[in-house]
Amino acid sequence: MSDIIEKIPAFLRELLQKEYGGEAERIFAGYQMRRPVTLRVNTLKADGEEIASALCGMGIMFERWKEDAFILREAQKETLEGSELYLSGKIYLQSLSSMLPPLALRPRAGEQILDMTAAPGGKTTQMFALSGGKALITACEKDGIRFERMKFNLARQGAERVSALHADAEKLDPFLRFDKILLDAPCSGSGTFLADGRGKIGEALLRNCIRTQRRLLKKGISLLKKGGELVYSTCSVLKEENEEAISSVLGSGVRLLPLPEELMRGLPLLKGMENTLTVCPDGLFEGFFVAKLKKE
Ligand code: SAM
């Protein structure tokens, strides 16, 4: 464990130890684990059975996490990326943790939904599929290159009816209103850090992310209809980016909603604020945070 600890930037190590005490060791251990390739079935184009039999045909072993989510312990990402299943948009390579926010939001047919920070579009296409292709989704992205990547992914996944918007979500028209909003906020990535050298986390980046997260969260709440719901998520385990962001808006016309029991089942959770979920990075899951707010 001591060599892993040395590879974690000192500021991050100290912050995690301050925030989690002894539990920080679990996070440090997760930083050293490589995770298998995982995929989501695009239910607009295929079902779990079709994908299971295609994988068998390719000689790829798999386990199922959920009906539409597969774990491929032996497969290489590149093999999948060259497959017909991938190129035709029947599958999307996505980490298991990153499938949680759309499941928490539960998009339904006919709902007006905003994905505030959407590229490359993994969660947008998941939400569209969860609604049976019938939610009215606007996918907003500020970065031009990432926006183009998202448009490509939307087309490949058969989600052309999603409205792609190249814009800064902070500057969206204040008169817009949505039933549901996903804010999968830009973050430090402290949940996906790997001690083998991938992932860069600096203190300045963290501070910058925290400021952006707070502004986006306030803006998101202002764009919700009364009674509307917003899911806030990050791929960070730092409380400053997660629970403290939520605390900063509680009492200003929003309350936390409990997350569904079935969503939490089997996850390697860290202790945290009631009605929020922080996944501890391990050999299967990336570190992730999810909370769901309702506008009163
Ligand atoms: N939800 C995406 C997915 O599942 O594929 C990943 C989103 S990523 C965590 C955050 C995204 O927010 C980045 O693509 C970033 O360029 C974008 N972003 C950052 N600030 C933004 C802003 N003010 N308005 C819109 N997009 C923004």
Side-chain angles (χ1 to χ4, degrees):
M1 177 71 88
S2 64
D3 343 328
I4 316 161
I5 289 195
E6 276 161 28
K7 287 180 185 144
I8 304 168
F11 91 91
L12 177 62
R13 194 171 63 220
E14 283 158 21
L15 206 48
L16 288 170
Q17 275 163 336
K18 188 172 113 208
E19 293 185 351
Y20 286 100
E23 264 208 312
E25 299 296 317
R26 281 177 65 204
I27 302 172
F28 300 155
Y31 282 168
Q32 118 174 291
M33 294 179 193
R34 289 212 149 265
R35 286 172 274 279
V37 176
T38 53
L39 66 84
R40 174 173 58 77
V41 177
N42 176 10
T43 53
L44 297 173
K45 292 198 171 192
D47 61 23
E49 294 322 304
E50 180 184 342
I51 300 305
S53 65
L55 291 172
C56 286
M58 291 162 72
I60 296 178
M61 311 237 287
F62 60 85
E63 292 153 52
R64 266 161 126 146
W65 177 52
K66 295 194 181 290
E67 175 72 19
D68 301 326
F70 288 56
I71 303 164
L72 315 178
R73 292 196 189 266
E74 308 294 332
Q76 298 302 312
K77 191 166 168 254
E78 295 70 28
T79 313
L80 268 297
E81 283 173 345
S83 71
E84 189 276 329
L85 291 181
Y86 179 85
L87 298 170
S88 63
K90 289 183 176 174
I91 58 169
Y92 190 87
L93 301 188
Q94 189 172 345
S95 81
L96 301 184
S97 298
S98 81
M99 298 179 200
L100 296 170
L103 293 172
L105 194 62
R106 297 189 196 212
R108 296 283 180 260
E111 287 175 339
Q112 300 266 8
I113 299 179
L114 171 66
D115 190 345
M116 282 183 90
T117 53
K123 297 182 192 68
T124 316
T125 50
Q126 185 183 355
M127 290 196 292
F128 192 60
L130 284 169
S131 75
K134 291 188 177 140
L136 306 163
I137 301 182
T138 303
C140 176
E141 171 58 45
K142 177 165 123 173
D143 180 275
I145 294 171
R146 292 177 66 88
F147 176 75
E148 289 306 320
R149 182 77 214 163
M150 176 177 83
K151 277 211 309 197
F152 176 85
N153 281 335
L154 292 176
R156 181 180 267 178
Q157 301 277 306
E160 295 93 339
R161 275 190 289 127
V162 167
S163 309
L165 184 63
H166 182 198
D168 179 344
E170 289 185 41
K171 298 190 179 136
L172 288 175
D173 186 328
F175 295 107
L176 291 170
R177 287 294 177 271
F178 296 89
D179 298 299
K180 289 183 177 167
I181 295 180
L182 175 63
L183 172 52
D184 184 40
C187 73
S188 67
S190 74
T192 58
F193 177 79
L194 286 175
D196 64 4
R198 282 204 318 174
K200 290 192 174 50
I201 302 180
E203 209 162 355
L205 168 85
L206 171 63
R207 296 291 148 218
N208 197 22
C209 285
I210 292 171
R211 282 193 292 274
T212 308
Q213 289 156 357
R214 299 290 197 279
R215 288 197 306 266
L216 284 167
L217 184 54
K218 257 178 97 177
K219 177 72 183 186
I221 291 167
S222 76
L223 296 176
L224 272 181
K225 290 181 186 169
K226 198 164 186 285
E229 294 172 357
L230 180 147
V231 165
Y232 175 83
S233 58
T234 70
C235 60
S236 175
V237 288
L238 288 168
K239 290 182 190 282
E240 285 172 292
E241 296 186 86
N242 298 336
E243 297 175 5
E244 290 177 23
I246 297 300
S247 299
S248 75
V249 294
L250 290 179
S252 61
V254 284
R255 66 181 167 91
L256 265 171
L257 284 180
L259 293 164
E261 263 301 304
E262 71 274 11
L263 190 77
M264 323 261 273
R265 207 170 298 133
L267 296 175
L269 295 178
L270 289 160
K271 288 197 196 80
M273 185 193 254
E274 199 182 355
N275 292 333
T276 68
L277 164 169
T278 308
V279 180
C280 183
D282 72 1
L284 200 49
F285 292 91
E286 291 180 328
F288 230 86
F289 176 81
V290 184
K292 188 172 181 176
L293 295 166
K294 188 175 177 81
K295 190 161 174 174
E296 315 266 40

